[in-house]
């Protein structure tokens, strides 16, 4: 079946540094990639939607300059958290859409900013 | 606006019994899709079952079945013969009708299976 590889699974970084999270579709071409943020015991919150070769569409309230999304190819999308602060600590998860019905999720990244 | 409502923050079920997790939705689009996902404590999102708005029959996948009542706009998940490994968060989602077809999510239900 379709697989999305997300790395790293866990990362601890110092406040003020940047962190890059990668999502790669291994055996299919991802038309669209969704990036979510999830706080403990809460639902998924969509941050942005990216389509290959075009600029990401950010949800209202999400800082574009802080959460940089690049979708340079049909198999790779990245989320960079710039100048991270403790409040950016969260669980980040990507989801690739394949066709109309297929949504394949990465395994998620737990980011801790100290 | 499209919306998913899950009114059960937490549910308990005895092992080997069946449990129903509620989900209601709101949309004006005649074509839509409904999904259920399971999220264990590890965080991964596991696809369970899909129901299309034009599907004539309720979807079933092993121990999972979807009780689709279109007129009531409900898409409840039924888990039969609960197992300890079913303890997790369960999310209902609906495919947005827009170009990107993003998923609209419910708040989730935390299910605990007791031995």
């Amino acid at each position: 079946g379709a697989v999305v590889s997300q790395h790293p699974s866990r990362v601890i970084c110092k406040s003020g540094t940047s962190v890059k999270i990668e999502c790669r579709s291994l055996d299919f071409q991802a038309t669209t990639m969704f990036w979510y943020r999830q706080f403990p015991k809460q639902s998924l919150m969509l941050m942005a939607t990216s389509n290959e070769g075009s600029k990401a569409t950010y949800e209202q309230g999400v800082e574009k300059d802080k959460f940089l999304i690049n979708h340079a190819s049909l198999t790779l999308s990245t989320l960079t958290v710039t100048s991270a602060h403790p409040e950016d600590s969260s669980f980040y998860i990507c989801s690739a859409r394949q066709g109309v019905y297929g949504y394949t999720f990465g395994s998620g990244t737990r980011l801790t900013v100290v | 606006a499209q919306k998913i409502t899950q009114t059960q923050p937490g549910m308990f079920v005895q092992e080997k019994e069946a449990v129903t997790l509620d989900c209601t939705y709101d949309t004006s689009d005649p074509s839509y899709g409904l999904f259920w996902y399971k999220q264990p404590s590890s965080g991964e999102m596991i696809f369970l079952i899909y129901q299309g708005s034009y599907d004539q029959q309720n979807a079933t996948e092993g121990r999972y079945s979807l009780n689709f009542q279109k007129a009531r706009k409900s898409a409840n998940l039924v888990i039969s013969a609960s197992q300890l490994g079913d303890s997790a968060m369960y999310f209902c989602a609906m495919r947005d009708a827009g170009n990107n077809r993003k998923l609209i999510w419910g708040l989730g239900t935390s299910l605990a299976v007791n031995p």
Side-chain angles (χ1 to χ4, degrees):
Chain A
V3 175
V4 171
S5 176
Q6 182 170 350
H7 292 282
S9 58
R10 290 178 182 272
V11 59
I12 300 173
C13 71
K14 291 185 177 180
S15 188
T17 62
S18 296
V19 173
K20 180 183 284 189
I21 301 170
E22 284 191 358
C23 276
R24 194 178 296 271
S25 55
L26 298 186
D27 48 4
F28 67 100
Q29 293 182 330
T31 312
T32 304
M33 191 74 79
F34 303 98
W35 286 94
Y36 296 94
R37 180 175 184 176
Q38 186 180 31
F39 293 103
K41 299 191 185 301
Q42 293 189 20
S43 188
L44 279 69
M45 182 183 75
L46 181 65
M47 299 174 66
T49 303
S50 71
N51 293 293
E52 183 264 340
S54 60
K55 288 185 178 180
T57 302
Y58 289 82
E59 296 298 304
Q60 192 171 9
V62 178
E63 298 177 61
K64 302 178 184 181
D65 295 332
K66 169 169 268 305
F67 300 102
L68 299 178
I69 291 172
N70 185 282
H71 195 157
S73 76
L74 283 171
T75 59
L76 176 64
S77 178
T78 60
L79 166 66
T80 301
V81 183
T82 63
S83 186
H85 291 283
E87 57 265 31
D88 299 324
S89 298
S90 191
F91 185 69
Y92 294 88
I93 191 165
C94 64
S95 173
R97 182 170 70 81
Q98 182 188 16
V100 177
Y101 308 107
Y103 297 84
T104 305
F105 286 81
S107 54
T109 298
R110 295 193 187 277
L111 170 64
T112 303
V113 185
V114 298
Chain B
Q2 296 181 305
K3 187 178 180 181
I4 291 285
T5 302
Q6 293 180 258
T7 57
Q8 306 156 312
M11 289 281 287
F12 293 91
V13 65
Q14 210 61 29
E15 193 179 8
K16 299 181 184 178
E17 292 185 350
V19 63
T20 298
L21 305 184
D22 295 341
C23 173
T24 58
Y25 60 92
D26 191 16
T27 181
S28 57
D29 191 342
S31 176
Y32 51 89
L34 297 158
F35 301 76
W36 276 93
Y37 287 88
K38 171 185 177 181
Q39 186 179 40
S41 57
S42 60
E44 60 183 314
M45 296 294 288
I46 302 169
F47 167 75
L48 297 178
I49 200 165
Y50 169 81
Q51 181 82 44
S53 58
Y54 294 121
D55 292 344
Q56 294 297 314
Q57 294 186 329
N58 287 348
T60 60
E61 291 285 351
R63 294 187 299 111
Y64 304 106
S65 61
L66 201 150
N67 184 1
F68 183 45
Q69 298 189 36
K70 201 168 181 177
R72 298 177 62 181
K73 292 190 175 180
S74 73
N76 298 339
L77 177 70
V78 180
I79 304 174
S80 63
S82 297
Q83 301 172 356
L84 296 179
D86 293 335
S87 295
M89 282 290 292
Y90 289 81
F91 292 99
C92 180
M94 177 168 61
R95 184 179 62 237
D96 186 89
N99 287 337
N100 283 321
R101 300 185 181 275
K102 64 184 179 183
L103 293 177
I104 309 298
W105 295 89
L107 295 180
T109 295
S110 177
L111 177 67
V113 180
N114 298 322

